[in-house]
Amino acid sequence: MSFADPLNEIVKGCGGGIGALLMGGDGIPIEQVVGSTVPTGPLSEDLATAGVEFGRILDDIRKASDALAGGAVHETVVVLSRFTLLFRIVDEDVFVVVVLEPDGNIGKARYLIRRQLSAIRRNL
Amino acid sequence: MSFADPLNEIVKGCGGGIGALLMGGDGIPIEQVVGSTVPTGPLSEDLATAGVEFGRILDDIRKASDALAGGAVHETVVVLSRFTLLFRIVDEDVFVVVVLEPDGNIGKARYLIRRQLSAIRRNL
């Protein structure tokens, strides 16, 4: 089984899924899948750009969590006007990014990501 | 009506609410309320520290959104081991931070924040 299978399960199952990425902490995408609807603009050209831009922010969130004794970062959700981004830490160096349409089901996407985590970890 | 009333409505209503803050974009807290349960560690001493640490990250998220043509930042949710932080933009210079216990109800907190936004905006 490839990484594309669990990513596709998430994008197809969550409602309003635009795409999903498995990203290395070095900013290099490991796997990328796109759903049937991709909005116009920079995101349509390269979903990985979102992973790189926000990968840096996940590092900053880790540092802020250390300062607050908040423990490990598990998830981050960013709701923007034009799409919603969900980040789930897989391990220290790898995270999943899922992009949803503004009316996408965030709760279902979070559930599906959690459910596919073991399949992703098995392949790492 | 003060800002404390809508913040208390959120903290008491959401289940697992640790506290809530109304923050200025300059890193200065406008109002702060705490629930009945505050975890030990830096967060218990100063909830505002969380607002300041993550206020900078919200700025970075705004810049990343600009780079991706994602539009305005509405909300950010950060799930850490020891607590969950919800950020909701009120206007360009003001945001709400709500801190939940790890088993707190994120969906209900998001709903209550949205419902109290007009009360908060009326007082700004």
Side-chain angles (χ1 to χ4, degrees):
Chain A
M1 197 169 95
S2 72
F3 292 120
D5 291 338
L7 295 181
N8 266 320
E9 290 286 325
I10 299 164
V11 172
K12 285 177 183 162
C14 66
I18 292 171
L21 267 175
L22 188 67
M23 284 288 289
D26 51 5
I28 295 173
I30 298 166
E31 184 69 83
Q32 174 173 341
V33 304
V34 286
S36 47
T37 54
V38 176
T40 54
L43 197 65
S44 66
E45 285 150 37
D46 191 2
L47 202 67
T49 309
V52 175
E53 289 284 343
F54 281 92
R56 281 191 287 261
I57 290 168
L58 281 184
D59 283 338
D60 291 338
I61 289 174
R62 276 202 187 96
K63 284 172 202 155
S65 178
D66 282 347
L68 296 166
V73 181
H74 292 183
E75 288 177 76
T76 299
V77 181
V78 177
V79 182
L80 307 175
S81 287
R82 295 194 54 238
F83 46 84
T84 294
L85 298 153
L86 293 97
F87 303 86
R88 173 83 207 196
I89 307 296
V90 178
D91 69 19
E92 209 174 303
D93 290 320
V94 179
F95 60 95
V96 172
V97 190
V98 176
V99 188
L100 298 185
E101 294 187 64
D103 59 352
N105 190 331
I106 295 174
K108 194 167 181 192
R110 290 181 65 219
Y111 163 75
L112 289 172
I113 295 168
R114 277 198 301 272
R115 218 176 60 165
Q116 295 297 331
L117 267 188
S118 58
I120 292 167
R121 285 191 177 127
R122 261 199 307 277
N123 283 281
L124 281 175
Chain B
M1 198 170 94
S2 72
F3 291 121
D5 291 339
L7 294 181
N8 267 320
E9 290 287 325
I10 299 163
V11 173
K12 285 178 185 163
C14 66
I18 292 170
L21 268 175
L22 189 67
M23 284 289 289
D26 50 5
I28 296 173
I30 298 167
E31 185 68 83
Q32 175 173 338
V33 304
V34 286
S36 48
T37 54
V38 176
T40 53
L43 198 64
S44 65
E45 285 150 34
D46 191 3
L47 202 66
T49 309
V52 175
E53 289 285 344
F54 280 92
R56 281 191 286 263
I57 290 168
L58 281 182
D59 283 338
D60 291 337
I61 289 174
R62 276 201 187 96
K63 284 173 203 156
S65 177
D66 283 346
L68 296 167
V73 181
H74 293 183
E75 290 176 74
T76 299
V77 181
V78 177
V79 182
L80 307 175
S81 286
R82 295 196 52 238
F83 46 84
T84 294
L85 298 153
L86 293 97
F87 303 85
R88 173 82 207 197
I89 307 297
V90 178
D91 71 19
E92 207 173 303
D93 291 320
V94 179
F95 60 96
V96 171
V97 190
V98 175
V99 187
L100 299 185
E101 295 186 63
D103 59 352
N105 190 331
I106 296 174
K108 194 166 182 193
R110 290 182 64 218
Y111 164 75
L112 289 172
I113 295 169
R114 279 197 300 273
R115 219 176 61 166
Q116 295 297 332
L117 266 187
S118 58
I120 293 167
R121 286 190 176 124
R122 262 201 307 277
N123 283 281
L124 279 175

